[in-house]
Amino acid sequence: MPDQLPEIELEDRGSKGRYLLRGPGGAEAEMTFTRIGEHQIIIDHTEVPDAFRGQGAGLRLVIRAVEDARAAGKKIIPLCPFANAQFRRHLEWADVLKQ
């Protein structure tokens, strides 16, 4: 049976935060964001170490941000190249994409 990825954690530090997956040996996959006002966030960085490669960790982080944005009525500005590419692939996320 393949190993399951851990649950995604949200670290909220006011105007900044990150979604985080903790792995073996202290490895961390993360996607950082900055809040712009009450209704927008900027995804500014995604980093997935080798320990998570090929497991869909980066995509899972973006999906969690999309789900949270939908639930809170927020829009996302994906400045991070990885997140931006995911938004181009997933047209069903258009409702949370800041145009």
Coordinates of all heavy atoms in Angstrom, one line a residue:
M1 N 0.9 -1.2 0.0 CA 0.0 0.0 0.0 C 0.9 1.2 0.0 O 1.8 1.4 0.8 CB -0.9 0.0 1.2 CG -1.8 1.2 1.4 SD -2.8 1.0 2.9 CE -4.3 1.8 2.2
P2 N 0.6 2.2 -0.9 CA 1.5 3.4 -0.9 C 1.3 4.3 0.3 O 0.2 4.3 0.9 CB 1.0 4.1 -2.2 CG -0.3 3.5 -2.6 CD -0.4 2.2 -1.9
D3 N 2.4 5.0 0.6 CA 2.3 5.9 1.8 C 1.3 7.0 1.5 O 1.3 7.5 0.4 CB 3.7 6.5 2.1 CG 4.7 5.4 2.6 OD1 4.2 4.4 3.2 OD2 5.9 5.6 2.4
Q4 N 0.6 7.4 2.5 CA -0.3 8.5 2.3 C 0.4 9.8 2.8 O 1.2 9.8 3.7 CB -1.5 8.3 3.3 CG -2.4 7.1 2.9 CD -3.1 7.3 1.6 OE1 -3.6 8.3 1.3 NE2 -3.1 6.2 0.8
L5 N 0.1 10.8 2.0 CA 0.7 12.1 2.4 C 0.0 12.6 3.7 O -1.2 12.3 3.9 CB 0.4 13.2 1.3 CG 1.4 13.0 0.1 CD1 0.9 14.0 -1.0 CD2 2.8 13.3 0.5
P6 N 0.7 13.3 4.5 CA 0.1 13.8 5.7 C -1.0 14.9 5.4 O -1.0 15.4 4.3 CB 1.3 14.4 6.5 CG 2.3 14.7 5.5 CD 2.1 13.7 4.4
E7 N -1.7 15.2 6.4 CA -2.7 16.3 6.3 C -2.0 17.6 6.1 O -0.9 17.9 6.6 CB -3.6 16.4 7.6 CG -4.5 15.2 7.7 CD -5.5 15.2 6.5 OE1 -6.1 16.2 6.2 OE2 -5.7 14.1 6.0
I8 N -2.6 18.5 5.4 CA -2.1 19.8 5.1 C -2.4 20.7 6.3 O -3.5 20.8 6.8 CB -2.7 20.5 3.9 CG1 -2.3 19.6 2.6 CG2 -2.3 21.9 3.7 CD1 -3.0 20.0 1.4
E9 N -1.4 21.4 6.8 CA -1.5 22.3 7.9 C -1.6 23.7 7.4 O -1.0 24.0 6.4 CB -0.3 22.2 8.9 CG -0.1 20.8 9.5 CD 1.2 20.8 10.3 OE1 1.5 21.8 10.9 OE2 1.8 19.7 10.2
L10 N -2.3 24.6 8.1 CA -2.3 26.0 7.8 C -1.7 26.8 8.9 O -2.1 26.7 10.0 CB -3.8 26.5 7.6 CG -4.0 28.0 7.4 CD1 -3.2 28.5 6.2 CD2 -5.5 28.3 7.3
E11 N -0.6 27.5 8.6 CA 0.0 28.4 9.5 C -0.4 29.8 9.2 O -0.1 30.3 8.1 CB 1.5 28.3 9.5 CG 2.0 27.0 10.1 CD 3.5 26.9 10.1 OE1 4.2 27.8 9.7 OE2 4.0 25.8 10.6
D12 N -1.2 30.5 10.0 CA -1.7 31.8 9.8 C -1.0 32.8 10.7 O -1.0 32.7 11.9 CB -3.2 31.8 10.1 CG -3.9 33.1 9.6 OD1 -3.2 34.1 9.3 OD2 -5.1 33.0 9.5
R13 N -0.3 33.8 10.0 CA 0.4 34.8 10.8 C -0.1 36.2 10.4 O 0.7 37.1 10.1 CB 1.9 34.7 10.5 CG 2.5 33.3 11.0 CD 4.0 33.3 10.9 NE 4.4 32.1 11.5 CZ 5.1 31.1 10.8 NH1 5.3 31.2 9.5 NH2 5.5 30.0 11.4
G14 N -1.4 36.4 10.5 CA -1.9 37.7 10.2 C -1.9 38.0 8.7 O -2.7 37.4 8.0
S15 N -1.0 38.8 8.2 CA -1.1 39.2 6.8 C -0.4 38.1 5.9 O -0.5 38.2 4.7 CB -0.4 40.5 6.5 OG 0.9 40.5 6.8
K16 N 0.4 37.2 6.5 CA 1.1 36.2 5.8 C 0.7 34.8 6.4 O 0.3 34.7 7.5 CB 2.6 36.4 5.9 CG 3.0 37.7 5.2 CD 4.5 37.6 4.9 CE 5.0 38.8 4.1 NZ 4.7 38.7 2.7
G17 N 1.0 33.8 5.6 CA 0.7 32.5 6.1 C 1.3 31.4 5.1 O 1.9 31.8 4.1
R18 N 1.1 30.2 5.4 CA 1.6 29.1 4.6 C 0.8 27.9 4.8 O 0.3 27.6 5.9 CB 3.0 28.8 4.7 CG 3.5 28.2 6.0 CD 5.0 28.0 6.0 NE 5.4 27.3 7.2 CZ 6.4 26.5 7.3 NH1 7.2 26.3 6.3 NH2 6.7 26.0 8.5
Y19 N 0.6 27.1 3.7 CA 0.1 25.7 3.8 C 1.3 24.8 3.8 O 2.3 25.1 3.1 CB -0.8 25.4 2.6 CG -2.1 26.2 2.6 CD1 -2.2 27.4 1.9 CD2 -3.2 25.8 3.3 CE1 -3.4 28.1 1.9 CE2 -4.4 26.5 3.3 CZ -4.5 27.6 2.6 OH -5.7 28.4 2.7
L20 N 1.2 23.8 4.6 CA 2.4 23.0 4.9 C 2.1 21.5 4.9 O 1.1 21.1 5.5 CB 3.0 23.5 6.2 CG 4.1 22.8 6.9 CD1 5.4 23.0 6.1 CD2 4.3 23.3 8.3
L21 N 3.0 20.7 4.3 CA 3.0 19.3 4.5 C 4.3 18.9 5.2 O 5.4 19.2 4.6 CB 2.9 18.5 3.1 CG 1.5 18.5 2.5 CD1 1.7 18.1 1.0 CD2 0.6 17.6 3.2
R22 N 4.2 18.2 6.3 CA 5.4 17.7 7.0 C 5.7 16.3 6.6 O 4.8 15.5 6.6 CB 5.3 17.9 8.5 CG 5.1 19.3 8.9 CD 5.1 19.4 10.4 NE 4.6 20.6 10.9 CZ 5.3 21.7 11.1 NH1 6.6 21.7 10.9 NH2 4.7 22.8 11.5
G23 N 6.9 16.0 6.2 CA 7.3 14.6 5.8 C 8.4 14.0 6.7 O 8.8 14.6 7.7
P24 N 8.9 12.9 6.3 CA 9.9 12.2 7.0 C 11.2 13.0 7.1 O 11.5 13.7 6.1 CB 10.1 10.9 6.3 CG 9.5 11.1 4.9 CD 8.5 12.2 5.0
G25 N 11.9 12.9 8.2 CA 13.2 13.6 8.3 C 13.1 15.1 8.3 O 14.1 15.7 8.0
G26 N 12.0 15.6 8.7 CA 11.8 17.1 8.7 C 11.6 17.8 7.4 O 11.5 19.0 7.3
A27 N 11.3 17.0 6.3 CA 11.0 17.6 5.0 C 9.7 18.4 5.1 O 8.8 17.9 5.8 CB 11.0 16.5 3.9
E28 N 9.6 19.5 4.5 CA 8.4 20.3 4.5 C 8.2 20.8 3.0 O 9.0 21.4 2.4 CB 8.6 21.6 5.4 CG 8.7 21.2 6.8 CD 8.7 22.5 7.7 OE1 8.9 23.6 7.1 OE2 8.5 22.4 8.9
A29 N 7.0 20.5 2.6 CA 6.5 21.1 1.3 C 5.6 22.3 1.7 O 4.8 22.1 2.6 CB 5.7 20.1 0.5
E30 N 5.8 23.4 1.1 CA 5.0 24.6 1.5 C 4.6 25.4 0.4 O 5.2 25.4 -0.7 CB 5.8 25.4 2.5 CG 6.9 26.2 1.8 CD 7.6 27.2 2.7 OE1 7.2 27.4 3.9 OE2 8.6 27.8 2.3
M31 N 3.5 26.1 0.6 CA 3.0 27.2 -0.3 C 2.7 28.4 0.5 O 1.9 28.3 1.5 CB 1.8 26.7 -1.1 CG 1.3 27.7 -2.1 SD -0.2 27.2 -2.9 CE -1.3 27.3 -1.5
T32 N 3.4 29.5 0.3 CA 3.2 30.7 1.1 C 2.3 31.7 0.4 O 2.1 31.7 -0.8 CB 4.6 31.4 1.4 OG1 5.2 31.8 0.1 CG2 5.5 30.5 2.1
F33 N 1.6 32.5 1.2 CA 0.7 33.5 0.7 C 0.7 34.7 1.5 O 1.2 34.7 2.7 CB -0.7 32.9 0.6 CG -1.3 32.6 2.0 CD1 -2.0 33.5 2.7 CD2 -1.2 31.3 2.5 CE1 -2.6 33.2 4.0 CE2 -1.8 30.9 3.7 CZ -2.4 31.9 4.5
T34 N 0.2 35.8 0.9 CA 0.1 37.1 1.5 C -1.3 37.6 1.4 O -1.9 37.4 0.3 CB 1.0 38.1 0.9 OG1 2.4 37.6 1.0 CG2 0.9 39.5 1.6
R35 N -2.0 38.0 2.4 CA -3.3 38.6 2.3 C -3.2 40.0 1.8 O -2.4 40.8 2.3 CB -4.0 38.6 3.7 CG -4.5 37.2 4.1 CD -5.3 37.3 5.4 NE -5.8 36.0 5.7 CZ -5.0 35.1 6.4 NH1 -3.8 35.4 6.7 NH2 -5.5 33.9 6.6
I36 N -4.2 40.3 0.9 CA -4.3 41.7 0.4 C -5.7 42.1 0.8 O -6.7 41.7 0.1 CB -4.1 41.8 -1.1 CG1 -2.7 41.2 -1.5 CG2 -4.3 43.2 -1.6 CD1 -1.5 41.9 -0.9
G37 N -5.9 42.9 1.8 CA -7.2 43.3 2.2 C -7.9 42.1 2.8 O -7.4 41.1 3.2
E38 N -9.2 42.2 2.8 CA -10.1 41.1 3.4 C -10.5 40.1 2.4 O -10.9 39.0 2.8 CB -11.4 41.8 3.9 CG -11.2 42.7 5.1 CD -10.8 41.9 6.4 OE1 -11.4 40.9 6.6 OE2 -9.8 42.4 7.0
H39 N -10.4 40.3 1.1 CA -11.0 39.4 0.1 C -10.0 38.8 -0.9 O -10.5 38.2 -1.9 CB -12.1 40.1 -0.6 CG -13.2 40.6 0.4 ND1 -14.0 39.8 1.1 CD2 -13.5 41.9 0.8 CE1 -14.8 40.5 1.9 NE2 -14.5 41.8 1.7
Q40 N -8.7 39.0 -0.7 CA -7.8 38.5 -1.7 C -6.5 38.0 -1.0 O -6.1 38.5 0.0 CB -7.3 39.6 -2.7 CG -8.4 40.2 -3.5 CD -7.9 41.3 -4.4 OE1 -6.9 41.1 -5.1 NE2 -8.5 42.5 -4.3
I41 N -6.0 36.9 -1.7 CA -4.7 36.4 -1.2 C -3.8 36.3 -2.5 O -4.3 36.0 -3.6 CB -4.7 35.1 -0.4 CG1 -5.2 34.0 -1.3 CG2 -5.6 35.2 0.8 CD1 -4.9 32.6 -0.7
I42 N -2.5 36.5 -2.2 CA -1.5 36.2 -3.3 C -0.7 35.0 -2.9 O -0.2 34.9 -1.8 CB -0.5 37.4 -3.4 CG1 -1.2 38.7 -3.8 CG2 0.6 37.1 -4.3 CD1 -0.3 39.9 -3.8
I43 N -0.8 34.0 -3.8 CA 0.1 32.8 -3.6 C 1.5 33.2 -4.2 O 1.5 33.5 -5.4 CB -0.4 31.6 -4.3 CG1 -1.8 31.1 -3.7 CG2 0.6 30.4 -4.2 CD1 -2.4 30.0 -4.4
D44 N 2.5 33.3 -3.4 CA 3.7 33.9 -3.8 C 4.9 32.9 -3.9 O 5.9 33.2 -4.6 CB 4.2 35.1 -3.0 CG 4.0 34.9 -1.5 OD1 4.1 33.7 -1.0 OD2 3.6 35.8 -0.8
H45 N 4.7 31.7 -3.4 CA 5.8 30.7 -3.5 C 5.3 29.3 -3.1 O 4.5 29.1 -2.2 CB 6.9 31.1 -2.4 CG 8.1 30.2 -2.4 ND1 9.0 30.1 -3.4 CD2 8.5 29.3 -1.5 CE1 9.9 29.2 -3.1 NE2 9.6 28.7 -1.9
T46 N 5.8 28.3 -3.9 CA 5.6 26.9 -3.6 C 6.9 26.2 -3.7 O 7.7 26.4 -4.6 CB 4.6 26.3 -4.7 OG1 3.4 27.1 -4.7 CG2 4.3 24.9 -4.3
E47 N 7.2 25.4 -2.7 CA 8.4 24.6 -2.7 C 8.1 23.2 -2.2 O 7.5 23.0 -1.2 CB 9.4 25.3 -1.7 CG 10.8 24.6 -1.7 CD 11.8 25.3 -1.0 OE1 11.6 26.5 -0.7 OE2 12.8 24.7 -0.6
V48 N 8.5 22.3 -3.0 CA 8.3 20.9 -2.8 C 9.7 20.2 -2.8 O 10.3 20.0 -3.8 CB 7.4 20.2 -3.8 CG1 7.2 18.7 -3.5 CG2 6.0 20.9 -3.8
P49 N 10.2 19.7 -1.6 CA 11.5 19.0 -1.6 C 11.4 17.6 -2.2 O 10.3 17.1 -2.5 CB 11.8 18.9 -0.1 CG 10.5 19.0 0.6 CD 9.6 19.8 -0.3
D50 N 12.6 17.1 -2.5 CA 12.6 15.8 -3.2 C 11.8 14.7 -2.5 O 11.3 13.8 -3.1 CB 14.1 15.3 -3.3 CG 14.8 16.1 -4.4 OD1 14.2 16.8 -5.2 OD2 16.1 16.2 -4.3
A51 N 11.7 14.8 -1.1 CA 11.0 13.7 -0.4 C 9.6 13.7 -0.8 O 8.9 12.6 -0.6 CB 11.1 14.1 1.1
F52 N 9.0 14.7 -1.4 CA 7.6 14.7 -1.8 C 7.4 14.6 -3.3 O 6.3 14.6 -3.8 CB 6.9 16.0 -1.3 CG 6.7 16.1 0.1 CD1 7.5 16.9 0.9 CD2 5.7 15.4 0.7 CE1 7.3 17.0 2.3 CE2 5.5 15.5 2.1 CZ 6.3 16.3 2.9
R53 N 8.5 14.7 -4.1 CA 8.4 14.7 -5.6 C 7.6 13.5 -6.1 O 7.7 12.4 -5.6 CB 9.7 14.7 -6.2 CG 10.5 15.9 -5.8 CD 10.7 16.9 -7.0 NE 11.5 18.0 -6.5 CZ 11.1 19.2 -6.5 NH1 9.9 19.6 -6.8 NH2 12.0 20.2 -6.0
G54 N 6.7 13.8 -7.1 CA 6.0 12.7 -7.7 C 4.7 12.2 -6.9 O 4.1 11.3 -7.3
Q55 N 4.4 12.9 -5.8 CA 3.3 12.5 -5.0 C 2.1 13.5 -5.1 O 1.1 13.3 -4.4 CB 3.7 12.4 -3.5 CG 4.8 11.4 -3.3 CD 5.3 11.4 -1.9 OE1 4.5 11.3 -1.0 NE2 6.6 11.5 -1.7
G56 N 2.2 14.5 -5.9 CA 1.1 15.5 -6.1 C 1.0 16.5 -4.9 O 0.0 17.1 -4.7
A57 N 2.1 16.6 -4.2 CA 2.1 17.5 -3.0 C 1.8 18.9 -3.3 O 1.0 19.6 -2.7 CB 3.4 17.4 -2.2
G58 N 2.5 19.5 -4.4 CA 2.3 20.9 -4.8 C 0.9 21.1 -5.2 O 0.2 22.1 -4.8
L59 N 0.3 20.2 -6.0 CA -1.1 20.4 -6.4 C -2.0 20.3 -5.2 O -3.0 21.1 -5.1 CB -1.4 19.3 -7.4 CG -2.9 19.3 -7.9 CD1 -3.3 20.6 -8.5 CD2 -3.1 18.1 -8.9
R60 N -1.8 19.4 -4.3 CA -2.6 19.3 -3.1 C -2.6 20.7 -2.3 O -3.6 21.1 -1.8 CB -2.1 18.2 -2.1 CG -2.6 16.8 -2.6 CD -2.3 15.8 -1.5 NE -3.0 16.1 -0.3 CZ -2.6 15.7 0.9 NH1 -1.4 15.2 1.1 NH2 -3.3 16.0 2.0
L61 N -1.5 21.3 -2.2 CA -1.4 22.6 -1.5 C -2.2 23.6 -2.2 O -3.0 24.4 -1.6 CB 0.1 23.1 -1.4 CG 1.0 22.2 -0.6 CD1 2.5 22.6 -0.8 CD2 0.6 22.3 0.9
V62 N -2.2 23.7 -3.5 CA -3.0 24.7 -4.3 C -4.4 24.4 -4.1 O -5.3 25.3 -3.9 CB -2.5 24.8 -5.8 CG1 -3.4 25.8 -6.5 CG2 -1.1 25.1 -5.9
I63 N -4.8 23.1 -4.2 CA -6.2 22.7 -4.1 C -6.8 23.2 -2.7 O -7.9 23.7 -2.6 CB -6.4 21.2 -4.3 CG1 -6.2 20.8 -5.7 CG2 -7.8 20.7 -3.8 CD1 -6.1 19.3 -6.0
R64 N -6.0 23.0 -1.7 CA -6.4 23.4 -0.3 C -6.6 24.9 -0.3 O -7.6 25.4 0.3 CB -5.4 23.0 0.7 CG -5.6 23.5 2.1 CD -6.8 23.0 2.8 NE -7.0 23.7 4.0 CZ -6.5 23.4 5.2 NH1 -5.7 22.3 5.3 NH2 -6.7 24.1 6.3
A65 N -5.7 25.7 -0.9 CA -5.9 27.1 -1.0 C -7.2 27.5 -1.7 O -7.9 28.4 -1.3 CB -4.7 27.8 -1.6
V66 N -7.5 26.8 -2.8 CA -8.7 27.1 -3.6 C -9.9 26.8 -2.8 O -10.9 27.6 -2.7 CB -8.7 26.3 -4.9 CG1 -10.0 26.3 -5.6 CG2 -7.6 26.8 -5.9
E67 N -9.9 25.6 -2.1 CA -11.0 25.3 -1.2 C -11.3 26.3 -0.1 O -12.4 26.7 0.1 CB -10.8 23.9 -0.6 CG -10.9 22.8 -1.7 CD -10.4 21.4 -1.1 OE1 -9.8 21.4 0.0 OE2 -10.6 20.4 -1.8
D68 N -10.2 26.7 0.5 CA -10.3 27.7 1.6 C -10.8 29.0 1.0 O -11.6 29.7 1.7 CB -9.0 27.9 2.3 CG -8.6 26.7 3.2 OD1 -9.4 25.7 3.3 OD2 -7.5 26.7 3.8
A69 N -10.3 29.5 -0.1 CA -10.7 30.7 -0.7 C -12.2 30.7 -1.1 O -13.0 31.6 -0.8 CB -9.9 31.0 -2.0
R70 N -12.7 29.6 -1.6 CA -14.1 29.4 -1.9 C -14.9 29.6 -0.7 O -16.0 30.3 -0.6 CB -14.4 28.1 -2.5 CG -14.3 28.1 -4.0 CD -14.9 26.8 -4.6 NE -14.5 26.8 -6.0 CZ -13.9 25.8 -6.6 NH1 -13.5 24.8 -6.0 NH2 -13.6 25.9 -7.9
A71 N -14.5 28.8 0.4 CA -15.3 28.8 1.6 C -15.4 30.2 2.2 O -16.4 30.6 2.9 CB -14.7 27.8 2.6
A72 N -14.3 31.0 2.1 CA -14.3 32.3 2.7 C -14.7 33.5 1.7 O -14.6 34.6 2.1 CB -12.8 32.6 3.2
G73 N -15.0 33.1 0.5 CA -15.4 34.2 -0.5 C -14.3 35.1 -0.9 O -14.5 36.2 -1.2
K74 N -13.1 34.5 -1.0 CA -11.9 35.2 -1.4 C -11.4 34.9 -2.8 O -11.8 33.9 -3.4 CB -10.7 34.9 -0.4 CG -11.0 35.4 1.0 CD -9.8 35.2 1.9 CE -10.2 35.7 3.3 NZ -9.1 35.6 4.2
K75 N -10.6 35.8 -3.3 CA -10.0 35.6 -4.7 C -8.5 35.4 -4.5 O -7.9 35.9 -3.5 CB -10.2 36.8 -5.5 CG -11.7 37.1 -5.9 CD -12.2 36.1 -6.8 CE -13.7 36.5 -7.3 NZ -14.2 35.6 -8.2
I76 N -7.9 34.6 -5.4 CA -6.5 34.3 -5.4 C -5.8 34.9 -6.6 O -6.3 34.9 -7.7 CB -6.3 32.8 -5.4 CG1 -6.9 32.1 -4.2 CG2 -4.8 32.4 -5.6 CD1 -6.9 30.6 -4.2
I77 N -4.7 35.5 -6.3 CA -3.7 36.0 -7.3 C -2.5 35.1 -7.3 O -1.7 35.1 -6.3 CB -3.3 37.5 -7.0 CG1 -4.5 38.4 -6.9 CG2 -2.3 38.0 -8.1 CD1 -4.2 39.8 -6.3
P78 N -2.4 34.2 -8.3 CA -1.3 33.2 -8.2 C 0.0 33.8 -8.9 O 0.3 33.5 -10.0 CB -1.9 32.0 -9.0 CG -2.8 32.7 -10.0 CD -3.4 33.9 -9.3
L79 N 0.8 34.5 -8.1 CA 2.0 35.0 -8.6 C 3.1 33.9 -8.7 O 4.0 34.0 -9.6 CB 2.5 36.2 -7.8 CG 1.7 37.4 -7.8 CD1 2.4 38.5 -7.0 CD2 1.4 37.9 -9.2
C80 N 3.0 32.9 -7.9 CA 4.0 31.8 -8.0 C 3.8 31.1 -9.3 O 2.7 30.8 -9.7 CB 3.7 30.9 -6.8 SG 4.3 29.2 -7.0
P81 N 4.9 30.8 -10.0 CA 4.8 30.2 -11.3 C 4.1 28.8 -11.3 O 3.3 28.5 -12.1 CB 6.2 30.0 -11.8 CG 7.0 31.1 -11.1 CD 6.3 31.3 -9.7
F82 N 4.3 28.0 -10.2 CA 3.7 26.7 -10.1 C 2.2 26.9 -9.9 O 1.4 26.3 -10.6 CB 4.3 25.9 -8.9 CG 3.5 24.6 -8.7 CD1 3.8 23.5 -9.6 CD2 2.6 24.5 -7.8 CE1 3.2 22.3 -9.4 CE2 1.9 23.3 -7.6 CZ 2.2 22.2 -8.4
A83 N 1.8 27.7 -9.0 CA 0.3 28.0 -8.7 C -0.3 28.5 -10.0 O -1.4 28.1 -10.4 CB 0.1 28.9 -7.5
N84 N 0.3 29.5 -10.7 CA -0.2 30.1 -11.9 C -0.4 29.0 -12.9 O -1.5 29.0 -13.6 CB 0.8 31.1 -12.4 CG 0.1 32.0 -13.5 OD1 -0.2 31.5 -14.5 ND2 0.0 33.3 -13.2
A85 N 0.5 28.1 -13.1 CA 0.4 27.0 -14.1 C -0.8 26.1 -13.7 O -1.6 25.6 -14.6 CB 1.6 26.2 -14.2
Q86 N -1.0 25.8 -12.4 CA -2.1 25.0 -12.0 C -3.5 25.7 -12.3 O -4.4 25.0 -12.7 CB -2.0 24.7 -10.5 CG -0.9 23.8 -10.2 CD -0.9 22.5 -11.0 OE1 -1.9 21.8 -11.1 NE2 0.3 22.1 -11.5
F87 N -3.5 27.0 -12.1 CA -4.8 27.7 -12.4 C -5.1 27.7 -13.9 O -6.2 27.6 -14.3 CB -4.7 29.2 -11.9 CG -5.2 29.3 -10.5 CD1 -4.4 29.2 -9.4 CD2 -6.6 29.7 -10.3 CE1 -4.9 29.3 -8.1 CE2 -7.1 29.8 -9.0 CZ -6.2 29.6 -7.9
R88 N -4.0 27.7 -14.7 CA -4.3 27.6 -16.2 C -4.8 26.2 -16.6 O -5.5 26.1 -17.5 CB -3.0 27.9 -17.0 CG -2.6 29.4 -17.0 CD -1.6 29.8 -18.0 NE -0.4 29.0 -17.9 CZ 0.7 29.2 -17.1 NH1 0.7 30.3 -16.4 NH2 1.7 28.4 -17.2
R89 N -4.4 25.2 -15.8 CA -4.8 23.8 -16.1 C -6.2 23.5 -15.6 O -6.8 22.6 -16.0 CB -3.8 22.8 -15.5 CG -2.5 22.8 -16.2 CD -1.6 21.7 -15.6 NE -0.3 21.7 -16.2 CZ 0.8 22.1 -15.6 NH1 0.8 22.4 -14.3 NH2 2.0 22.2 -16.2
H90 N -6.6 24.2 -14.5 CA -7.8 23.9 -13.8 C -8.8 25.1 -14.0 O -9.0 25.9 -13.1 CB -7.6 23.6 -12.3 CG -6.7 22.4 -12.1 ND1 -7.3 21.1 -12.0 CD2 -5.4 22.2 -12.0 CE1 -6.3 20.2 -11.9 NE2 -5.2 20.8 -11.9
L91 N -9.5 25.1 -15.1 CA -10.4 26.2 -15.4 C -11.6 26.2 -14.4 O -12.2 27.2 -14.3 CB -10.9 26.0 -16.8 CG -9.8 26.1 -17.9 CD1 -10.4 26.0 -19.3 CD2 -9.0 27.4 -17.8
E92 N -11.8 25.1 -13.8 CA -12.9 25.0 -12.8 C -12.6 25.9 -11.5 O -13.5 26.1 -10.7 CB -13.2 23.6 -12.4 CG -12.1 22.9 -11.6 CD -11.0 22.2 -12.4 OE1 -10.9 22.5 -13.6 OE2 -10.3 21.4 -11.8
W93 N -11.4 26.4 -11.4 CA -11.1 27.3 -10.3 C -11.3 28.8 -10.7 O -10.9 29.6 -9.9 CB -9.6 27.1 -9.9 CG -9.3 25.7 -9.4 CD1 -10.1 24.7 -9.0 CD2 -8.0 25.2 -9.3 NE1 -9.4 23.6 -8.7 CE2 -8.1 23.9 -8.8 CE3 -6.7 25.7 -9.5 CZ2 -7.0 23.1 -8.5 CZ3 -5.6 24.9 -9.2 CH2 -5.7 23.6 -8.7
A94 N -11.8 29.0 -11.8 CA -12.0 30.4 -12.3 C -12.8 31.3 -11.3 O -12.6 32.5 -11.2 CB -12.7 30.5 -13.7
D95 N -13.7 30.7 -10.5 CA -14.5 31.5 -9.6 C -13.6 32.1 -8.5 O -14.1 33.1 -7.9 CB -15.6 30.6 -9.0 CG -15.1 29.4 -8.2 OD1 -14.2 28.7 -8.7 OD2 -15.5 29.2 -7.1
V96 N -12.5 31.6 -8.2 CA -11.6 32.1 -7.1 C -10.4 32.9 -7.7 O -9.6 33.4 -7.0 CB -11.2 31.1 -6.1 CG1 -12.4 30.5 -5.4 CG2 -10.3 30.0 -6.7
L97 N -10.2 32.9 -9.0 CA -9.1 33.5 -9.7 C -9.4 35.0 -9.8 O -10.4 35.4 -10.4 CB -8.8 32.9 -11.0 CG -7.7 33.5 -11.8 CD1 -6.4 33.4 -11.1 CD2 -7.6 32.9 -13.2
K98 N -8.5 35.8 -9.3 CA -8.6 37.3 -9.4 C -8.2 37.6 -10.8 O -7.0 37.4 -11.2 CB -7.7 38.0 -8.4 CG -7.7 39.5 -8.5 CD -9.0 40.1 -8.2 CE -8.8 41.6 -8.2 NZ -10.1 42.3 -8.2
Q99 N -9.1 38.2 -11.6 CA -8.8 38.6 -13.0 C -8.2 39.9 -13.1 O -8.5 40.8 -12.4 CB -10.1 38.5 -13.8 CG -10.7 37.1 -13.9 CD -9.8 36.1 -14.7 OE1 -9.0 36.4 -15.5 NE2 -10.1 34.8 -14.4

